Amino acid sequence: MAVEITSGDIFTDEQLGKHAKIYAGPGAGKTHFLVENAKHIVTTYPLVSQSRQRKVLCITYTNAAVDEIKRRLDRYADSVEAYTIHGFIIEHIIKPFQQDLRQIMHDDFGIIVNEKGQITSQVEGLGILHGVDKDEMFQYIIDITTEGNKPDYSKKIMGDISVDIDAFNSDSREFSARCMKKRFSASSRIAEQHILPIKEYVWSVVRKLTHNEILYFGYRILEKNHTALYATRVRFPFVFVDEFQDTNPLQTKLIKMIGEKSTVIGIIGDLAQSIYSFHGAKPSQFAEFVLDSNRELVEYVINGNRRSTANIANFCNYLRQSDTNVSQISIRPYATEGIKQQEEAKRVHFIMGSSDIEMRRIAQIVADGGVVLTRTWAAAFAYINGVTQPQIQCLSRIYNSYFTSPIDIRRDIEEHSFVAWVRAFKFIFSLWNGFRTGSFIDVLRSFSYYRAIEPKLITPKLISHIKGLSSCIFKELSDSTTDKTTINVINDFNSKISDPQFSEIINVLGVDFKISVFDEADRDDLKSNVNGLNWQTSYKLFTEVFSAGSRYMTVHQAKGLEWEKVVVSLTPNSRRDRDNITLNSMFQNPQVLVEDAAQEFTRMYYVACSRAKEDLYIHLPDGFDRCTIETTLNNFIKTSGQNIDYELL
């Protein structure tokens, strides 16, 4: 039986002497608990407080969560290190033990890597072969294999070759006995004799590791080098791992290895929020976690929910009723009892069907600050107001083009601009914003995507020419009904910039200045769909959808976030028959613990609903049986004693 605690509890010295497994649902204050206990350790626990070298280690799932932990630590941040698991391995295992890394590459894979330069991780948001000359790679393959014909693979499938950690997780002895070439996962389009040469080029010339390889080599270095393992334990006598339900088996093995001696491990997670099976994460990784050490492992539970109203918390309890580890109670703080009564009166809302009336209702919720959560971006695009069905299909096809790519196209649009067409679109939108608002700052920002304009070159003549050029290419866009595509507008820019009347722009930027939309790696189908995006659709995509403060997200994107009003629209993947579940059957008997596609869908539904603080709207498709909602919820209310006020709209 787990010991019930609150997010405000601070572990005693006795508790800090034992490993801890903490069950905590959404809105439970997991980050608060972790940060406050880390502060307590670094100020009062002699092993850390009296040492400059020893620190508390906090591992969490996303970079955003790392940043939030660091922000909350404030002045204590120097005594606590926060990382994602990959960041921790790179910084404290891969970088300091490069010789061990190269030796393991040779011992496990027969690949010799020289000592020239540091081997590190691929750049987030970019393919591992970004900027690499394909012809140089092909020549490298020819030189090793002594073949006469040059291969012709895309950078993507060559960059996707990676250590097969699934095979290693399933049976490390079998993995060790395999043919070396079979230890890599690779596209069937790559000839077997080319796999090792390509991987050798990536490790020895590009000197980058995939995310899976970071996990593999981090584990193998600690397993092989006892000094490295000892140094890790000494430096981090306390390790907290947040969102543990999202770890995969190799991450779990690594954490267990560190915790076998001296280091105290505290893991925090929620079985009902395990939705990363495609990364190898399973609810059982958390549920069955034990440590082979002399220290006892104590289980705790935080049942409080500081985020959601009682109606929302109880509805989420209904979805997770098969998991008895956690049963949440809303403990939202209220200024007055009157406000509490008013807020608690808000029901869980079920929006039935997708007629114009229902879609206008959802559009109004979004306009009032609500967020729409869907399973896929293809489904999310359908809720963008003012976008036609053909344009929605075009957006979906573009997004799906990156489904198996290391490039997160949403993040590239929002942050990076590594992708050629994204950079081109950002350029033209920024130039447009400068034109319509009169902001020369936006104009300069647009050109900075390609070339920075030195302040001394900004003359009245240059400003006049840029205004004239902008007027030429944007004059038709004042008409909101224009059917111009964004590519049309970019082509207009490229065509008109060489006009003599705009000569000052060319004098500053150079005669070769053109906006390139695509690069050689872009496939024809992607080019076709990007070419099909009209101006209004793509501008909405960049400024309203894939942007900071977006009102449209997938469940995976929304994990860890919260909003006042949330519209949940999730449907099983019936087209590919992967989920083996219907919405009707899920509502009749929600299950979250078994590791199959059907129950992961229920967990996704749970995660989505638990993002809501005040107003939860469940959007159900046409034809859904209203009686299913009424019967199942009323039965749960009767048997559990947890009230759920709801309405069918």
Side-chain angles (χ1 to χ4, degrees):
M1 177 70 70
V3 178
E4 185 163 0
I5 58 175
T6 73
S7 61
D9 285 351
I10 301 296
F11 276 171
T12 64
D13 287 353
E14 181 182 355
Q15 289 172 307
L16 289 173
K18 301 174 182 178
H19 300 301
K21 180 196 294 186
I22 304 160
Y23 296 88
K30 297 189 290 293
T31 304
H32 176 79
F33 174 85
L34 185 154
V35 167
E36 293 307 310
N37 273 275
K39 289 179 181 178
H40 171 71
I41 291 170
V42 302
T43 53
T44 66
Y45 209 82
L47 194 62
V48 179
S49 63
Q50 297 177 11
S51 170
R52 292 185 178 181
Q53 299 301 318
R54 292 188 176 96
K55 299 188 177 186
V56 174
L57 173 63
C58 296
I59 295 175
T60 190
Y61 197 73
T62 66
N63 288 320
V66 168
D67 292 341
E68 178 62 15
I69 288 172
K70 289 180 178 178
R71 184 189 69 80
R72 295 196 194 188
L73 283 167
D74 195 17
R75 63 188 178 89
Y76 299 91
D78 288 343
S79 299
V80 181
E81 295 200 16
Y83 295 99
T84 63
I85 186 67
H86 293 88
F88 163 69
I89 293 172
I90 283 291
E91 194 63 32
H92 288 282
I93 304 176
I94 298 292
K95 285 183 179 179
F97 299 101
Q98 292 273 300
Q99 184 175 344
D100 294 277
L101 172 63
R102 291 190 296 270
Q103 188 63 50
I104 292 168
M105 287 175 167
H106 177 259
D107 293 346
D108 290 4
F109 305 100
I111 292 177
I112 298 174
V113 177
N114 61 46
E115 298 183 16
K116 182 183 177 182
Q118 190 176 71
I119 304 167
T120 185
S121 66
Q122 67 184 94
V123 177
E124 189 170 356
L126 286 178
I128 200 167
L129 297 178
H130 179 78
V132 172
D133 187 328
K134 274 203 308 183
D135 288 332
E136 286 186 10
M137 285 194 69
F138 295 153
Q139 187 61 51
Y140 191 91
I141 295 170
I142 292 173
D143 291 344
I144 289 180
T145 60
T146 67
E147 295 177 356
N149 296 325
K150 184 182 293 187
D152 186 21
Y153 305 124
S154 70
K155 283 186 182 180
K156 182 190 178 307
I157 66 169
M158 290 192 291
D160 284 346
I161 298 174
S162 184
V163 173
D164 190 348
I165 65 170
D166 290 336
F168 180 74
N169 283 330
S170 62
D171 191 333
S172 57
R173 288 169 298 177
E174 176 190 344
F175 182 88
S176 299
R178 283 177 161 200
C179 169
M180 288 176 181
K181 296 173 186 175
K182 295 296 186 182
R183 296 182 185 181
F184 296 102
S185 59
S187 168
S188 59
R189 288 175 286 175
I190 295 182
E192 186 174 312
Q193 70 270 21
H194 292 162
I195 293 175
L196 274 176
I198 291 172
K199 196 75 256 185
E200 181 175 318
Y201 184 90
V202 173
W203 286 350
S204 61
V205 179
V206 182
R207 307 187 81 80
K208 293 285 193 293
L209 303 174
T210 68
H211 292 306
N212 278 351
E213 289 167 355
I214 291 169
L215 298 177
Y216 175 80
F217 287 116
Y219 177 81
R220 288 285 288 124
I221 288 171
L222 292 189
E223 181 183 48
K224 184 175 184 293
N225 185 338
H226 293 178
T227 301
L229 179 57
Y230 175 77
T232 302
R233 288 169 175 162
V234 169
R235 182 165 179 79
F236 300 113
F238 294 93
V239 176
F240 290 105
V241 186
D242 195 11
E243 304 291 356
F244 195 85
Q245 75 281 345
D246 295 331
T247 60
N248 68 32
L250 194 49
Q251 292 169 311
T252 301
K253 286 181 180 179
L254 187 145
I255 296 298
K256 284 183 175 181
M257 191 190 308
I258 295 172
E260 284 174 358
K261 292 181 180 178
S262 67
T263 297
V264 177
I265 304 293
I267 64 170
I268 309 170
D270 184 12
L271 303 176
Q273 295 189 73
S274 178
I275 59 172
Y276 286 95
S277 63
F278 55 89
H279 285 164
K282 302 175 182 178
S284 60
Q285 288 291 120
F286 182 65
E288 299 171 5
F289 182 86
V290 292
L291 282 153
D292 297 326
S293 72
N294 295 327
R295 280 193 173 87
E296 180 185 355
L297 185 146
V298 181
E299 294 189 350
Y300 301 90
V301 61
I302 302 174
N303 281 319
N305 182 328
R306 295 178 175 274
R307 174 185 299 159
S308 304
T309 64
N311 279 327
I312 296 172
N314 290 345
F315 178 75
C316 290
N317 285 340
Y318 154 74
L319 289 175
R320 72 173 302 158
Q321 60 188 277
S322 61
D323 173 24
T324 58
N325 293 291
V326 176
S327 181
Q328 289 202 299
I329 301 171
S330 176
I331 54 171
R332 278 175 50 134
Y334 301 96
T336 68
E337 187 64 24
I339 293 177
K340 178 177 180 179
Q341 292 173 355
Q342 180 182 358
E343 291 192 352
E344 289 302 305
K346 291 186 176 180
R347 301 172 177 176
V348 174
H349 321 280
F350 291 89
I351 300 175
M352 314 297 290
S354 299
S355 70
D356 289 344
I357 294 175
E358 278 75 42
M359 296 310 287
R360 282 197 297 271
R361 188 194 302 272
I362 293 173
Q364 186 58 53
I365 295 167
V366 173
D368 291 339
V371 173
V372 177
L373 301 184
T374 58
R375 182 173 184 175
T376 65
W377 278 113
F381 294 141
Y383 289 92
I384 305 171
N385 194 32
V387 177
T388 65
Q389 189 60 37
Q391 287 288 287
I392 290 171
Q393 293 172 353
C394 199
L395 288 173
S396 299
R397 288 192 291 267
I398 291 169
Y399 191 82
N400 290 337
S401 296
Y402 294 94
F403 184 72
T404 58
S405 166
I407 296 171
D408 180 342
I409 194 62
R410 180 191 189 279
R411 192 164 183 186
D412 196 72
I413 291 174
E414 186 177 343
E415 299 177 27
H416 298 314
S417 309
F418 293 142
V419 176
W421 71 266
V422 170
R423 187 165 56 253
F425 277 39
K426 281 189 173 182
F427 165 82
I428 206 68
F429 293 147
S430 187
L431 192 64
W432 156 251
N433 287 335
F435 168 73
R436 65 189 181 87
T437 64
S439 169
F440 200 69
I441 296 297
D442 283 329
V443 172
L444 291 178
R445 182 181 298 115
S446 68
F447 285 103
S448 70
Y449 285 112
Y450 296 93
R451 293 179 192 174
I453 300 177
E454 295 181 25
K456 66 181 181 181
L457 298 177
I458 301 173
T459 64
K461 186 178 180 181
L462 176 65
I463 295 172
S464 174
H465 282 202
I466 290 176
K467 285 182 177 179
L469 174 62
S470 299
S471 180
C472 278
I473 63 176
F474 293 133
K475 59 186 178 183
E476 296 180 20
L477 294 180
S478 57
D479 178 7
S480 61
T481 62
T482 181
D483 59 357
K484 270 198 166 187
T485 68
T486 305
I487 300 294
N488 290 154
V489 181
I490 293 171
N491 288 339
D492 285 347
F493 174 90
N494 285 334
S495 173
K496 289 182 170 61
I497 193 173
S498 58
D499 194 302
Q501 64 177 313
F502 309 126
S503 59
E504 189 64 16
I505 302 175
I506 291 299
N507 290 340
V508 171
L509 298 176
V511 294
D512 62 336
F513 186 81
K514 297 286 183 183
I515 302 304
S516 177
V517 180
F518 300 109
D519 61 35
E520 60 159 348
D522 291 327
R523 300 194 310 271
D524 289 341
D525 58 337
L526 172 67
K527 294 178 182 178
S528 175
N529 287 305
V530 171
N531 272 300
L533 285 179
N534 67 38
W535 178 266
Q536 284 80 18
T537 298
S538 50
Y539 189 75
K540 280 178 177 284
L541 178 69
F542 276 65
T543 60
E544 297 180 21
V545 184
F546 290 171
S547 61
S550 174
R551 301 283 105 186
Y552 311 91
M553 286 194 177
T554 64
V555 178
H556 290 95
Q557 194 75 39
K559 193 138 186 282
L561 303 176
E562 59 183 32
W563 296 272
E564 299 293 320
K565 300 179 180 183
V566 173
V567 179
V568 173
S569 176
L570 271 66
T571 54
N573 195 339
S574 57
R575 184 181 65 176
R576 298 179 183 177
D577 196 29
R578 285 183 179 176
D579 291 337
N580 194 29
I581 192 175
T582 64
L583 273 176
N584 199 63
S585 62
M586 186 206 74
F587 273 101
Q588 288 176 338
N589 185 28
Q591 300 288 321
V592 296
L593 294 183
V594 176
E595 293 165 354
D596 60 22
Q599 299 197 29
E600 181 162 65
F601 174 78
T602 306
R603 294 194 292 272
M604 279 192 279
Y605 218 96
Y606 175 83
V607 169
C609 292
S610 65
R611 303 303 97 194
K613 297 168 69 175
E614 276 194 42
D615 281 297
L616 172 61
Y617 297 85
I618 310 290
H619 185 205
L620 295 168
D622 291 313
F624 188 88
D625 186 1
R626 300 164 65 98
C627 293
T628 298
I629 298 295
E630 296 172 329
T631 301
T632 54
L633 286 187
N634 291 342
N635 285 341
F636 176 77
I637 292 167
K638 183 177 179 180
T639 57
S640 69
Q642 300 181 46
N643 187 52
I644 306 172
D645 286 333
Y646 65 94
E647 61 180 349
L648 305 179
L649 302 175

